Amino acid sequence: MIVIQDTREQIPWDFTFLGASQKVKKLDTGDYSLEGLEDTFCIDRKRSTGEIAINLGSKNKTFLKELDRIMEFEHKFLICEFSIKTLLSFPAFSGIPKDKLKFIKMNANYMISLLQKYEEKYGLEVIYCNDTNEATNVAYDIMKEIYDKQN
């Protein structure tokens, strides 16, 4: 199994210790895919509640364009490196600097409702994990399952 990691991933997940090969290549949609399945399988990764808040707020048009592309994929996942409990505590633990918190105009319930709406509209599966390690393992398990079904 060869995992494709998008060139724009700044702090990538490492799947090699789980037994996968990993290549860096530009992906038009998502952050991770599998070689040969780049047009049918993608994982989009969100590292923090601050990142998802930006995607749902100030960068919403860009995020919706990505979701429009994702809709065409057979297998599509958004994996969060934070739990639903952490999201519910937003903006705590968001990584947003304290001097910027006064500019936040959304809350956790609004973000959760948007994510649920996008799950239904785009067929996207949103998965909340407790941390990076759990997210990496969940992503690997999904990839392995998709890979095994294709081969």
Side-chain angles (χ1 to χ4, degrees):
M1 177 170 82
I2 301 172
V3 175
I4 305 297
Q5 165 199 316
D6 186 58
T7 55
R8 293 163 288 202
E9 272 293 86
Q10 296 176 7
I11 304 172
W13 287 332
D14 180 7
F15 299 102
T16 58
F17 74 96
L18 293 167
S21 297
Q22 197 158 333
K23 286 185 181 179
V24 177
K25 177 180 166 185
K26 184 182 180 302
L27 293 171
D28 293 329
T29 304
D31 298 314
Y32 295 91
S33 189
L34 292 170
E35 189 170 67
L37 300 176
E38 293 94 328
D39 296 327
T40 61
F41 169 72
C42 74
I43 292 176
D44 195 27
R45 168 196 190 190
K46 299 301 171 202
R47 295 184 62 226
S48 69
T49 59
E51 180 182 1
I52 197 74
I54 290 168
N55 288 152
L56 298 173
S58 63
K59 293 187 177 181
N60 191 250
K61 287 182 183 179
T62 302
F63 187 58
L64 289 176
K65 285 180 185 177
E66 183 171 20
L67 291 179
D68 285 338
R69 290 190 307 273
I70 281 176
M71 190 171 0
E72 302 304 318
F73 284 59
E74 182 180 356
H75 308 285
K76 49 216 173 232
F77 302 88
L78 188 149
I79 298 181
C80 302
E81 292 185 2
F82 50 86
S83 66
I84 191 84
K85 183 178 177 183
T86 301
L87 182 55
L88 284 167
S89 71
F90 181 82
F93 313 109
S94 65
I96 297 172
K98 287 184 181 184
D99 63 326
K100 306 287 186 208
L101 292 176
K102 62 186 170 196
F103 300 110
I104 294 173
K105 295 182 177 165
M106 70 173 61
N107 63 38
N109 290 330
Y110 178 70
M111 289 192 291
I112 290 168
S113 70
L114 276 180
L115 289 170
Q116 289 172 336
K117 174 184 168 185
Y118 296 159
E119 278 184 295
E120 291 174 26
K121 181 176 181 178
Y122 296 98
L124 178 69
E125 185 174 343
V126 178
I127 301 170
Y128 299 95
C129 299
N130 290 312
D131 55 31
T132 302
N133 289 335
E134 182 181 359
T136 303
N137 287 318
V138 166
Y140 177 81
D141 289 344
I142 290 168
M143 287 188 266
K144 183 82 169 104
E145 184 177 332
I146 300 294
Y147 178 79
D148 288 346
K149 284 181 182 176
Q150 299 296 320
N151 294 306

